[in-house]
Amino acid sequence: MKPIQTAIELILSGNREIFFTVGTSLSFSFFSTILAGFMGLSIATILTLCRFPLRRFLISLITSLMAVPTVVVGLVVYSLLSRSGPLGSLGWLYTPYAVIIGQSIFALPIVISYLWTGFSKLDLRFFETIHTLGCSFSTKCFLTWRESQTVLTNALLSSFGRVLSEVGISMMLGGNIRWYTRTMTTAIALETNRGEYEQALALGILLLLLSIGINTLTFRISAQGGRT
Amino acid sequence: MNPEPLFRIRNLKVEYNGRGTIFHIPHLDILSIDRVAVMGPNGSGKTTFLKTLNGLLEVPSGTIFYKGAPLRVHRRKLTQEVTYVHQHPYLFRGSVYRNLLVGLHSATLTLKEKERHIQITLERLGLSGYEERDTRELSGGEAYRVALARALVREPQVLLIDEPTAQADQEAKRIITETLQQVARKGNTTLIFATHDENLCKDLDVRILRLEEFSLCRY
Amino acid sequence: MVNGRCRNFKALTPASAASRLEKELRPRVKGETPSPPGLERSIPMIKLPSPLSFTRFWLLFITALGLQVTWMSSLLAIAEEILRLATTTSVENSRFLDYLLPAFQQDTGVRADVIAVGTGAALALGRKGDVDVLLVHAPDLEERFMGEGHGISHTTIMYNDFLLVGPQTDPARARTSPSIQNCFTRIAQSRAPFLSRGDDSGTHVKEKEIWVKAGITPQGSWYREVGQGMESALRMASDLNAYTLTDAATWVFLKNKLSLIEIYRNKNEPILQNFYSIILINPYRYPHVAFPVARAFLEWITSPKGLRRIQTYTIGGEQIFFPVRQP
């Protein structure tokens, strides 16, 4: 009990560095979710509305990409962004840009999967109706999105939660630089490594609270949406 | 008078997977001035037939020509000119107005003109003033008429309707029949619908296509 | 007239017929394998309250977006130049850089981003040119690094020492040893618990060097390789009442919190000396390194001001690092 007590005291003391870390985590997750959201939405919509060869193959490929561990994504992006790599001249490694890109790439298959599943749950009659009403492709897109608002929100929230608690990418691409790219998860890793368990626990508790908050929000929204 | 048939159906055969033939139409011509009622017991494939005409279902065997060319060629045109109304239609989220607006999307009218058009169509179906109603609040009959309005507002060349009067009460039946009569009278829409309703056929002076024995005759 | 009667005609309701049909014939329309037509939307429903109203949601979103953009831009606002420094976890754990670098930034306006990883990883970063400067303490590896031409300048700037710590009871009687190898020998002979870093870090490399010098290959349940950082390893040693080799900085930082005591310490014994060097990454080989700021850092840290800064870093009143040159 004692460590937890100390941890809570630490949080309540309003330690500036801890809250800075929380803000950085939220920030990175926010932007990467948006990025993954845009890309994922376009891809998922095209997958749903268009017929082309290899469509099924692509879908199973993307679904299996969901299982890629964060460290692997981190490594791949690292080799691209490293100064001795092809995109090294951008100088994005060890900056927030790299972390956000890495996290978006990681979140992309998740978003696409969620959206794809959500879109498939739409009544077949919906697809038949938009077809028979002679809608243009863009109209079909908008209508599909309108009909699946709950799905969209859920996809974004879930991917936000996922990305918030990942550590492999932030560590590898961000470098865990203090006041710059140190997120809650990398800070936890650092403090654990140092043996400063109270600090790690404090951050862990905050992370847990945030995750619970996001999940509650997701639940409320999907419950509401289910009723419509 | 022998106008070019709108639909030319040859050897259309539809089978269930391993259950045998549902219906087989060796030769059928539908003219643009036609009004065809597809009748038959439940499960005889009326819906399937309608859907193949629209391109919603792939023709398993046989050919269907629309305006002289196979369906495949005409995909874009088909969606513009042929509209299908489900028996239990799917209404989009939002207001009735929005739903009808979707139908008019490809039309080259100004917004004001579209609004007027929507208003008129709703009036014809006894739904005047329903523009701002949310689709979730409508009763079954009202929802169906909205879907019908959505199809009619496009003034399609071919109207495929699945069981127009199945869910309608007396009053709604009357309205729908009247509307369809108007549409038929105007003469520039081909009406093809599936139904059980003998009265409707009587009112509309149709050719009846009986799928289960494939016989085409006058009522 | 053709008889097209269906062979297995069953009385089906229209809805189920339709749904089965849709499943068995391939739909031409884009959509997934259809789920059953489900609830008819045309069933009369009571008016439902609007869900977490999507206008409210969008408002929330826009506010969040605004906040985040402001935050991010302040994070990314590069008012100063940036130096990328790679160092080891033990240097980082001593919090020395938290003391040194703000002074550097104040004097030169350069912000130093510290990436702390294991010694091997730090050198690997140097080999890729992903950092501008290295601060490491592994002379053999450094030599090889310079020999391969990754660094353009190598300067030893400070030193401290390694020492052996252990339980107060000192079961192996290592306290009275004349040399560090002898300590290790006594520990091995008495099979007293000994914790090894086991992670090829600077400390671990040094520990292995001593075992070699003592002519012993440590084996047995008394010798535990933990694969942890120095701080964690010390805490574990304290809990397990084990001996372990540690660097001075981490030790001074933690000693008051642990039950261990200094068993053997000799700052003059060469094998126990721990030299820290700064390597500037070769800009000719890695054109993207920020060489000017790297050089500015080296100049600053070897200037009287920098050296004094090193000297004045204390933990609990004890000086941790000793500059090679006097200020």
Side-chain angles (χ1 to χ4, degrees), chain B residues 8 63-75 78:
Chain B
R8 263 211 313 236
T63 47
I64 303 183
F65 283 81
Y66 176 70
K67 290 190 176 171
L71 281 186
R72 217 160 296 126
V73 174
H74 270 309
R75 287 199 54 80
L78 261 186

Side-chain angles (χ1 to χ4, degrees), chain A residues 11 18-19 21-26 29 103 160-167 170 183-189 199-215:
Chain A
I11 298 175
I18 288 186
F19 285 99
T21 317
V22 173
T24 314
S25 262
L26 289 174
S29 313
Q103 288 184 338
F160 183 80
R162 251 331 240 114
V163 146
L164 193 66
S165 18
E166 75 82 27
V167 67
S170 332
T183 61
M184 280 191 286
T185 47
T186 56
I188 291 177
Q199 297 253 14
L201 200 56
L203 286 162
I205 291 177
L206 284 172
L207 188 58
L208 193 61
L209 289 175
L210 277 172
S211 291
I212 292 178
I214 294 170
N215 277 318

Side-chain angles (χ1 to χ4, degrees), chain C residues 25-91:
Chain C
L25 295 176
R26 267 166 47 95
R28 203 117 185 282
V29 179
K30 310 46 162 113
E32 183 41 299
T33 325
S35 47
L39 281 183
E40 302 155 353
R41 289 189 110 262
S42 34
I43 286 183
M45 284 194 253
I46 346 152
K47 180 168 168 74
L48 294 169
S50 155
L52 173 64
S53 138
F54 284 102
T55 10
R56 236 187 292 155
F57 175 81
W58 280 111
L59 256 131
L60 240 150
F61 178 75
I62 302 289
T63 346
L65 184 65
L67 282 170
Q68 295 294 359
V69 170
T70 340
W71 175 285
M72 258 312 201
S73 41
S74 69
L75 203 63
L76 296 170
I78 306 180
E80 340 76 357
E81 292 180 74
I82 300 188
L83 172 74
R84 294 233 182 100
L85 174 90
T87 187
T88 66
T89 40
S90 38
V91 172

Side-chain angles (χ1 to χ4, degrees), chain C residues 265-277:
Chain C
R265 188 172 193 176
N266 187 351
K267 299 192 190 178
N268 295 321
E269 205 164 319
I271 198 174
L272 286 179
Q273 282 170 343
N274 185 18
F275 286 100
Y276 295 80
S277 310

